[in-house]
Amino acid sequence: MMIAAAKLQTSIEIDEDREILLRTAQGDDSAFALLTERYSGRVYGFLKRMVYSAEDAEDLTQETFCEAHKNRRKLRTDVSPLPYLFTIARRKAISLIRWRKVRRIVLPLMDEHEAAEPDAGETPRDRMHEKRKEEIVEKILATLKPAKRGVLILRYFEGLSYREISSVIGKPEATVKSIAYRAEEELRSKLSDLRLYE
Amino acid sequence: MRPVCHSIRKQLLFFVETRLGKTGVLEEKQQREIEAHTAECEACRLEAERIAAHLNFLQTLLPPTVPALLAAKCLAAAERTSRKPYRRFSLVTAGAAAAILLAVFAAGLWIGNGMKNYSPAPNAFASLVKVQNGLLDQLETLLRKEGDAESQDSFAAWQYPIEQVRYSSQVIEAYYKQNQGNPVAQRGFCEAIYQNIRTLAGLCASLENEKESAPSGAGLGTAKKKDIEI
């Protein structure tokens, strides 16, 4: 019963999406406002995890919707708008990461104390019990290469299918799976050192 | 590890995902094969359990807190840019550029107190601008040459820093013209153009690195290949 209700809810959302996209593509700004209301949070979440900075994520979210608005008449109305929005957002995130690299801007990620082996009487759990696990995972994500980070976030946090991720990053599905396999292994290895879960 | 385990391991993630309810990840036949293998191979079964625990843990994480009025800000920004030509420079960037200019100017004044008689060579600024523009053209030609239909994504990613340098150069040149006859300010502006040249040199080096890391014949779209062939 619950599954049937969830399916019905999803199908209503898809129909609403289609309607919103259709009207947006026809230049209806109120439909674009609905689209922004519905997806800006998801895009922000993706960007926050990608660039590991709330301020930059907010700026890039605005830029993403500016670009989507500029190209709204070219929107595809037969598919979910999320992969399209993530495509723009990811490109902007990678651009920013590259810019930081050129400018040698280093974000305060895992400090030596966090990355060090635990002392005899002190477990990583003790050291981090004050910190939210979300924050720790975001920090570790930021240590992964952007290609791996993007696939992991899209797959395990945003719930996109491999086909959709393939359209976002512009690589074949097999390549996406290969990246996901390596990325999951690396993230798991880094997280298991911190024993955040059993 | 047995050879069969080696090939199974690469599919274990997708096997676990299917078990956790994701559809369209593995074919039924492959799923059954891995199921049979994990029933008899303890090492692979344990690895599958570790993956499942990891994926379940990721599912428990809360999404980042969305800032207040984010959608409204996005809409306002979209409306602003639709009314005038789209400009990628935010107020923050413009403020930062102004701050850098002021800092360079102040540094010029400070240095200038001890070097009042020194003024840059008459053509120093023009020469530096020429070098900077040469590098800009070179970089853009290189990008256009390397860019192909598949690499638009990567091509666009390089535009941001290039546009930033172009924009800051325009600002510096405008200020330079306003301060003709002031050697201290002129030295400061020469220094600012020199900083742009350093940034462009850094970009050229990064581009070269990416080209080297990509396989021969591949465009920029396949740059960062090292990231992918992990």
Side-chain angles (χ1 to χ4, degrees):
Chain A
M1 190 67 174
M2 278 183 71
I3 293 172
K7 274 184 182 167
L8 182 66
Q9 178 70 23
T10 313
S11 101
I12 290 170
E13 278 173 14
I14 290 170
D15 284 347
E16 281 179 4
D17 267 355
R18 213 162 279 162
E19 176 69 23
I20 291 171
L21 285 173
L22 213 60
R23 282 170 47 203
T24 303
Q26 287 163 357
D28 181 345
D29 278 344
S30 64
F32 183 78
L34 281 175
L35 189 83
T36 310
E37 186 66 42
R38 183 169 285 192
Y39 293 110
S40 55
R42 293 282 299 273
V43 171
Y44 171 81
F46 167 72
L47 283 166
K48 169 79 173 25
R49 284 167 167 148
M50 264 312 270
V51 301
Y52 189 63
S53 155
E55 278 179 26
D56 286 338
E58 194 174 339
D59 285 348
L60 293 184
T61 308
Q62 290 184 29
E63 286 190 22
T64 301
F65 280 92
C66 283
E67 193 170 327
H69 184 258
K70 205 171 85 178
N71 299 316
R72 62 193 184 281
R73 289 183 190 274
K74 296 180 205 159
L75 265 176
R76 275 185 66 181
T77 54
D78 55 337
V79 288
S80 161
L82 256 185
Y84 171 68
L85 293 171
F86 283 143
T87 306
I88 304 173
R90 178 183 166 274
R91 196 174 64 223
K92 289 186 182 295
I94 287 180
S95 179
L96 179 77
I97 292 166
R98 188 169 282 151
W99 177 243
R100 282 177 184 162
K101 201 174 162 186
V102 170
R103 287 286 184 182
R104 294 185 174 81
I105 296 168
V106 181
L107 295 178
L109 298 176
M110 294 291 284
D111 56 40
E112 284 177 16
H113 180 63
E114 279 177 348
E117 288 294 313
D119 295 334
E122 184 190 31
T123 66
R125 195 190 291 271
D126 291 336
R127 272 189 272 153
M128 293 183 177
H129 76 282
E130 290 294 326
K131 292 192 176 184
R132 288 173 65 227
K133 55 187 180 177
E134 284 82 3
E135 194 186 323
I136 297 164
V137 172
E138 278 180 29
K139 271 190 176 185
I140 294 172
L141 269 175
T143 64
L144 303 184
K145 288 186 174 174
K148 289 180 180 176
R149 203 187 309 169
V151 170
L152 272 183
I153 299 168
L154 291 172
R155 179 65 181 161
Y156 301 112
F157 297 106
E158 298 303 334
L160 262 62
S161 70
Y162 285 113
R163 182 168 297 178
E164 286 172 321
I165 299 172
S166 151
S167 80
V168 171
I169 70 169
K171 306 265 177 232
E173 211 175 313
T175 311
V176 174
K177 281 186 167 182
S178 167
I179 298 172
Y181 159 69
R182 303 278 183 189
E184 188 275 337
E185 199 172 50
E186 189 176 337
L187 180 66
R188 179 157 44 95
S189 150
K190 288 183 172 174
L191 286 177
S192 66
D193 289 345
L194 301 173
R195 286 181 233 154
L196 284 173
Y197 61 93
E198 298 305 325
Chain B
M1 199 191 302
R2 290 185 288 159
V4 64
C5 291
H6 187 72
S7 62
I8 292 281
R9 288 281 165 102
K10 288 186 176 175
Q11 299 296 324
L12 268 184
L13 172 66
F14 313 114
F15 166 74
V16 172
E17 283 186 4
T18 310
R19 273 183 132 184
L20 293 175
K22 305 254 184 195
T23 52
V25 186
L26 267 190
E27 287 175 13
E28 264 189 56
K29 190 185 161 203
Q30 278 179 302
Q31 187 74 10
R32 277 199 304 274
E33 277 171 11
I34 300 171
E35 187 92 56
H37 176 82
T38 50
E40 59 184 38
C41 173
E42 196 184 353
C44 286
R45 185 172 52 76
L46 288 174
E47 180 70 359
E49 281 171 12
R50 280 192 286 268
I51 294 172
H54 179 225
L55 296 189
N56 283 329
F57 166 70
L58 295 183
Q59 289 298 310
T60 65
L61 299 175
L62 298 171
T65 312
V66 177
L69 302 172
L70 178 68
K73 286 178 192 168
C74 290
L75 281 174
E79 203 174 304
R80 271 199 307 274
T81 51
S82 69
R83 266 189 275 143
K84 59 184 180 187
Y86 181 55
R87 180 157 233 165
R88 295 183 64 136
F89 307 107
S90 62
L91 278 177
V92 177
T93 316
I100 290 167
L101 261 177
L102 273 175
V104 169
F105 186 69
L109 278 175
W110 181 65
I111 295 165
N113 282 334
M115 304 168 70
K116 280 198 171 128
N117 296 327
Y118 170 75
S119 62
N123 294 328
F125 186 81
S127 306
L128 283 166
V129 170
K130 202 173 165 188
V131 172
Q132 173 202 264
N133 291 345
L135 272 171
L136 272 170
D137 292 341
Q138 195 183 329
L139 200 57
E140 286 196 325
T141 312
L142 204 59
L143 279 170
R144 257 195 293 277
K145 206 162 69 179
E146 290 296 325
D148 52 37
E150 289 177 1
S151 64
Q152 285 310 306
D153 181 55
S154 183
F155 180 79
W158 286 91
Q159 292 304 307
Y160 182 63
I162 294 173
E163 280 175 18
Q164 287 253 346
V165 170
R166 241 187 232 293
Y167 177 66
S168 88
S169 169
Q170 283 168 9
V171 176
I172 294 164
E173 283 179 59
Y175 275 96
Y176 182 84
K177 277 178 194 156
Q178 282 175 22
N179 286 279
Q180 293 281 5
N182 180 348
V184 177
Q186 284 179 348
R187 278 202 300 280
F189 295 127
C190 286
E191 182 63 29
I193 292 288
Y194 174 62
Q195 289 302 328
N196 276 356
I197 293 172
R198 288 185 61 180
T199 303
L200 289 170
L203 282 171
C204 285
S206 298
L207 184 60
E208 286 300 320
N209 284 344
E210 286 214 0
K211 274 173 65 190
E212 278 168 26
S213 64
S216 60
L220 278 175
T222 48
K224 291 282 174 200
K225 195 80 180 169
K226 271 201 303 192
D227 295 2
I228 296 154
E229 288 175 357
I230 31 186

